[in-house]
Amino acid sequence: MAEKLVKALAVYTALLLTLAAVVYFGSAHVAAEHHATWVGHAILGMGLTLNLVWCFGCGLIMLRFREPVAAWIERLPGPWQLKFVVGCTLLAMAEEAVTVTLTNLAPLYGTKVGEAYITASANYIDVITRHSVVVFVPMFVGWAWMLSRWKFTATEVFLLFGAAGSIAEAQFAGNAANLIIGFWFFVYGLMVWLPACAVPESRHANRPKWWHFPLAIVLPGLFVIPVAVPLSFTHHPRIDFVGK
């Protein structure tokens, strides 16, 4: 069932992004006549590139090499919980490297850096330490704790973390995020899927009951509170372009 849902999300996202690409390339001459419209056009282009590089490119690489990578991770020393958290953190940092690069490539999309952007800052270190990855890490810790108690499959982890990410994006972007919900499932789900493939099946854990699934969307957010509260007092939580 989970695998079928991922395939359905992939088809939906592919169709939606194909339509978005047609709009992007077909409306360039119209968008160029109005600056505000052109900024939106540039953001759309960044989003399409993110999908191509991270969701499609990196996703296919993970799918192709999941078995040897998972076997390699299992052979590494240390508890699997630590390896899971570190693996997810590295993938989250990789995803943010793509998004921050696209934000800094705004001139290639016809705008200045800071006019069109898909990250909270144009500075990579600022993004991962004050906006995104610093908040994700406690969620990964929460997932490691849940996986030590319940045997979610890697696909289920993908979907549940993707759902949490989609809900978070909807709070920031509103209805626009709801339309591309499948896209956000892949953006967030790919941060945790490959490390989840390396979680040992032999661990002492039980298959989750039905109510563990909605709980798994909400519970990791509670792990964020000790980090998010201090951050909220030290900087603006959304947009903080360095030097802007």
Side-chain angles (χ1 to χ4, degrees):
M1 178 63 182
E3 287 76 11
K4 291 181 180 179
L5 182 54
V6 171
K7 291 178 181 179
L9 285 169
V11 172
Y12 170 75
T13 302
L15 291 174
L16 190 62
L17 291 173
T18 299
L19 176 61
V22 172
V23 172
Y24 177 76
F25 291 107
S27 63
H29 64 288
V30 176
E33 297 177 1
H34 305 283
H35 180 71
T37 305
W38 185 252
V39 169
H41 187 266
I43 294 173
L44 177 60
M46 292 177 186
L48 289 170
T49 306
L50 173 61
N51 180 76
L52 180 64
V53 174
W54 176 251
C55 300
F56 184 74
C58 293
L60 285 180
I61 291 173
M62 292 183 204
L63 184 63
R64 170 63 179 82
F65 295 102
R66 70 187 184 281
E67 292 183 1
V69 171
W72 176 74
I73 293 174
E74 289 184 34
R75 290 194 299 269
L76 291 175
W80 67 262
Q81 294 92 336
L82 177 61
K83 291 185 284 186
F84 174 81
V85 173
V86 172
C88 293
T89 301
L90 291 175
L91 287 172
M93 292 172 65
E95 190 274 339
E96 290 294 13
V98 176
T99 56
V100 174
T101 298
L102 291 172
T103 289
N104 281 283
L105 290 178
L108 293 182
Y109 295 91
T111 68
K112 297 178 181 179
V113 176
E115 286 185 321
Y117 49 83
I118 56 173
T119 54
S121 171
N123 183 293
Y124 177 71
I125 300 301
D126 183 65
V127 168
I128 66 172
T129 61
R130 301 175 67 192
H131 294 278
S132 60
V133 179
V134 66
V135 177
F136 296 155
V137 172
M139 300 182 73
F140 300 150
V141 172
W143 261 107
W145 179 82
M146 289 193 298
L147 287 171
S148 62
R149 295 178 63 86
W150 305 307
K151 282 190 176 181
F152 291 103
T153 67
T155 304
E156 290 167 348
V157 176
F158 172 96
L159 289 170
L160 292 167
F161 195 73
S166 299
I167 293 171
E169 292 294 338
Q171 292 176 340
F172 280 91
N175 293 333
N178 294 331
L179 289 174
I180 55 174
I181 187 170
F183 169 71
W184 292 121
F185 265 88
F186 283 93
V187 168
Y188 285 90
L190 287 174
M191 297 179 190
V192 298
W193 179 72
L194 191 56
C197 290
V199 174
E201 281 290 328
S202 59
R203 68 190 187 278
H204 296 291
N206 299 316
R207 270 297 292 169
K209 301 183 183 299
W210 69 266
W211 55 271
H212 289 136
F213 288 87
L215 179 65
I217 297 175
V218 178
L219 188 58
L222 300 180
F223 284 75
V224 178
I225 295 175
V227 174
V229 172
L231 280 176
S232 67
F233 288 103
T234 59
H235 76 292
H236 194 288
R238 297 192 179 188
I239 306 300
D240 184 30
F241 276 95
V242 175
K244 296 295 177 182

